Amino acid sequence: MKVTLSALDTYESSFTPLVVIELAQDVKEETKEWLKNRIIAKKKDGGAQLLFRPLLNKYEKETLENQNLYLVGASKIRLLLGAEAVGLVKECNDNTMRAFTYGTRQNFKGFDDNNDDFLTMAECQFIIKHELENLRAKDEKMIPGYPQAKLYPGKSLLRRLLTSGIVIQVFPLHDNEALKKLEDTWYTRLTLKYQPIDNIRGYFGETIALYFGFLEYFTFALIPMAVIGLPYYLFVWEDYDKYVIFASFNLIWSTVILEVWKRGCANMTYRWGTLVMKRQFEEPRPGFHGVLGVNSITGREEPLYPSYKRQLRIYLVSLPFVCLCLYFSLYVMMIYFDMEIWALGLHENSGSEWTSILLYVPSIIYAIVIEIMNRLYRYAAEFLTSWENHRLESAYQNHLILKVLVFNFLNCFASLFYIAFVLKDMKLLRQSLATLLITSQILNQIVESLLPYWLQKKHGVQVKRKVQALKADIDATLYEQVILEKEMGTYMGTFDDYLELFLQFGYVSLFSCVYPLAAAFAVLNNFTEVNSDALKMCRVFKRSFSEPSASIGVWQLAFETMSVISVVTNCALIGMSPQVNAVFPESKTDLILIVVAVEVSENLNYFK
C-alpha cells in the first residue's frame, strides 16, 4: 500500500519533541494561530505536516511565567517521507549506497517497520528543520498581525519570522539518555582511545563528526613529529643551527598528512552516505536584502542585488580596511621588537636571574595582544562580510574565512618570518615560537571551554532551583530541559575550531625545526582539546542542527595552502643553515638554484 503525505494525521496529543521554537513574548495570538496552522497543515495545502504543541498548556501558563515555547515533532512515516524528500543516502542490503525512497524502504540495511533507529536523531532534526525552512508564503502579503512584515510568494516563512524578531530562535533538543551514553564513550573517562566518530555523527551530524575526526587524525599525525622532536630537542638544545634533518622531515610530513586525510575523509563520508548525496538547492541567506524581483533560475520572487554593487563594497571598503588592519598588525609587531631590544639590553646590563625571566615577558605580552587583535578583527570581518550582502551562505562563509585567514596568518606568523629571514636570530625564533604557541593554547582553552562551562554551570543551578520551587503539576523534567537549553549559548559552527587547528598546523609545520618541542606541546593540547570540545558540545552550547557534509570544505584548501608555504619556508631555512652553506662555500648561486629546484619539485608533487 502506498503511503502519501495527505493520508498522514498531523495531530497527536503526545509525541517525542525534537525541535523547539521560541516566539517573542509580545507575539499576537492571531500570529501564533496562523503559524501553528501552517506547521500542521497538509503538504498539499502548503503546510509542513508536522506535529506541534505548546510547552505549557493554558493552566500551566497561569501558574508559571508565560513562556512562548513550542515543541515540534513528526510521526515515523512523516520522517521517512521527509528523508526521501531531502535525498538522504543509506546503505542497501547489497552493500551499495543509494538515495532512500519510502517505496523501497525494505531494501535498505537496518530498516524494520517496528524499529525507530533507522534514522538517527540528527537526521530527524535535520528533516524537521528542512520542512520548517521550506514553509513558503502563498497568497499572504504580510504576516498576520504584523503589517510591516511583508511577504511575497515563495518567501521562506521561517526566515521572515526570524528576521522580523517574531521567532527568537529555533533549536533541536538534546536526548538526555542518548547524550549520556555518548558522553560515557567519549570524554567522561580520561583514557587514551579513539573517539566514537560514528556515534558523534549519529547524534550531532556529519559536519561536527568530521571536525572531531580531523582533530583526532591531526593529533595522531603529530605524534611522529613529537617523538622525533623530543630527543632532537634534548641532544641538540644549544646548537640552534642543526635543524636540517628535522626541516627535511617537516617537508615530507606537512605534505603527506593532508593527502592521507583526504582518503580517510572520503571513506568516512561514503560510509555515511554524504559523499554521494545530491546537494540541496541553496536558498538566499536570511540577512540578504535587495529589490524584489524574479529569480531567472527558480522563477520565484526574491530580493535581487546587483553584483557590481557587491564588488564595489568589497574592493572600495572591505579590501582597504583589511589592508589597514594588516598594517596595524605590522606596527604592533615592530613595537614588540622594540620591547625585545629593551628587555635584552636590561638583561645584558644587570645579568640577574630576574632579568633573565624578563626576557620572556615581551613575547608573552605580544602573544596576548595577538589573541585580542584576532578576536576584535573577527567581529569586524563578520560585520563587513554581512554588509557586503552575499546572497548565499556559502559565499558569505568563503569571504569571511578568506578575510580572517589572511589577517590571522600575518598577525601570528609575521614576527616569526621577520626573525627567521631578516634578523636571522634562531635563538630568538625558538623563544618566540615557544611563547606564542603555548600562550595561545592556554588562552584558547580558558576562553573557549573553561569560562563558558563555568557560566553554564552557574545558570544550570539557578534553573534547577527555580523548577524545584514550582508547585504546578507539570512535566518538570521536560520544562527544566527546555528552559535550560534555550538559555545556552548558540554554537556558531566549526569555524573557530578549525581556525585554531590551522594556526597550530602553521606553528608546527613552518618553524618547528628550530623548536622541535612544538609538536609535543600541540599533541598535549589536542588531547585536552578533544575533551574540552566534547564537553562544550554536550553541556555548554545548545545542540546544533545536523548539516550533511562530504568534506571539511574550504578548510582543506586552507591547510593545503599552509602546507605549500611550509615547504617553501623549510627549504629556505635549509638553504640558510651552516651545514648546507658549508657544502657550497664559494657559490651561493648553486645553493639558491638547488633550494628553488627542491621547492618546485615538492610543490609539483603535491598538486599532482
Side-chain angles (χ1 to χ4, degrees), residues 22-62:
E22 182 184 4
L23 303 182
Q25 287 295 330
D26 58 349
V27 173
K28 298 175 182 177
E29 288 300 322
E30 63 175 308
T31 310
K32 295 179 186 177
E33 192 64 25
W34 169 78
L35 178 60
K36 171 191 170 184
N37 291 335
R38 288 303 304 269
I39 290 175
I40 67 174
K42 295 184 182 298
K43 290 286 284 183
K44 66 176 183 178
D45 299 325
Q49 211 159 342
L50 300 172
L51 303 174
F52 181 88
R53 69 176 174 86
L55 173 64
L56 304 174
N57 63 40
K58 62 180 180 180
Y59 302 109
E60 293 165 349
K61 286 181 180 178
E62 293 172 2

Side-chain angles (χ1 to χ4, degrees), residues 515-533:
Y515 184 61
L517 281 186
F521 279 114
V523 169
L524 292 174
N525 175 79
N526 288 359
F527 276 126
T528 60
E529 184 82 14
V530 167
N531 292 302
S532 61
D533 281 354

Side-chain angles (χ1 to χ4, degrees), residues 7 54 65 117 127 135 158 160 298 333 341 353 363 422 437 482 486 491 539 556 562 576 587:
E65 60 182 84
D117 297 333
I127 291 166
L135 272 176
L158 183 62
R160 190 70 184 94
T298 63
M333 181 189 76
I341 293 170
E353 224 174 275
S363 296
V422 178
L437 177 64
V482 174
K486 89 179 184 71
Y491 182 62
R539 295 295 173 185
Q556 180 73 38
M562 179 67 83
M576 288 169 50
S587 176

Side-chain angles (χ1 to χ4, degrees), residues 162-370:
L162 285 166
T163 55
S164 301
I166 299 168
V167 171
I168 302 299
Q169 59 179 334
V170 180
F171 63 92
L173 271 176
H174 276 295
D175 179 337
N176 288 329
E177 185 179 343
L179 182 62
K180 185 70 172 66
K181 289 180 181 177
L182 177 61
E183 288 177 316
D184 288 341
T185 59
W186 195 3
Y187 72 91
T188 53
R189 297 167 188 166
L190 296 177
T191 56
L192 294 177
K193 59 183 180 182
Y194 288 106
Q195 297 178 88
I197 299 297
D198 287 333
N199 294 341
I200 297 169
R201 176 253 172 179
Y203 193 85
F204 288 109
E206 290 80 14
T207 299
I208 290 173
L210 279 173
Y211 163 69
F212 280 102
F214 182 74
L215 173 58
E216 178 180 89
Y217 168 79
F218 182 54
T219 303
F220 281 106
L222 284 166
I223 290 176
M225 290 281 286
V227 169
I228 295 172
L230 191 59
Y232 202 92
Y233 178 85
L234 293 174
F235 297 118
V236 201
W237 162 247
E238 292 299 336
D239 197 339
Y240 300 99
D241 296 322
K242 290 184 178 178
Y243 53 75
V244 174
I245 297 174
F246 202 85
S248 302
F249 180 73
N250 234 343
L251 284 172
I252 302 168
W253 176 85
S254 61
T255 303
V256 169
I257 64 163
L258 295 177
E259 288 300 310
V260 176
W261 162 252
K262 280 199 286 191
R263 292 174 182 269
C265 179
N267 287 333
M268 271 195 301
T269 52
Y270 178 80
R271 190 175 72 250
W272 296 340
T274 53
L275 187 65
V276 293
M277 184 177 176
K278 291 182 180 178
R279 291 185 62 186
Q280 294 287 318
F281 180 78
E282 199 170 354
E283 296 288 340
R285 291 178 58 246
F288 177 66
H289 58 84
V291 179
L292 192 62
V294 177
N295 187 306
S296 58
I297 298 174
T298 63
R300 293 178 186 161
E301 279 191 295
E302 65 175 53
L304 301 178
Y305 189 76
S307 177
Y308 77 89
K309 288 186 178 181
R310 185 179 303 112
Q311 298 302 318
L312 286 175
R313 290 186 174 193
I314 291 172
Y315 291 111
L316 297 184
V317 179
S318 296
L319 183 59
F321 176 80
V322 171
C323 292
L324 183 64
C325 290
L326 296 177
Y327 172 80
F328 180 73
S329 174
L330 293 175
Y331 182 77
V332 171
M333 181 189 76
M334 298 314 296
I335 294 175
Y336 155 65
F337 285 123
D338 289 340
M339 292 172 61
E340 284 283 3
I341 293 170
W342 170 79
L344 184 61
L346 195 65
H347 176 64
E348 287 175 349
N349 290 333
S350 66
S352 67
E353 224 174 275
W354 181 82
T355 55
S356 64
I357 297 172
L358 190 65
L359 287 174
Y360 289 91
V361 172
S363 296
I364 294 172
I365 294 173
Y366 184 50
I368 295 172
V369 170
I370 282 175

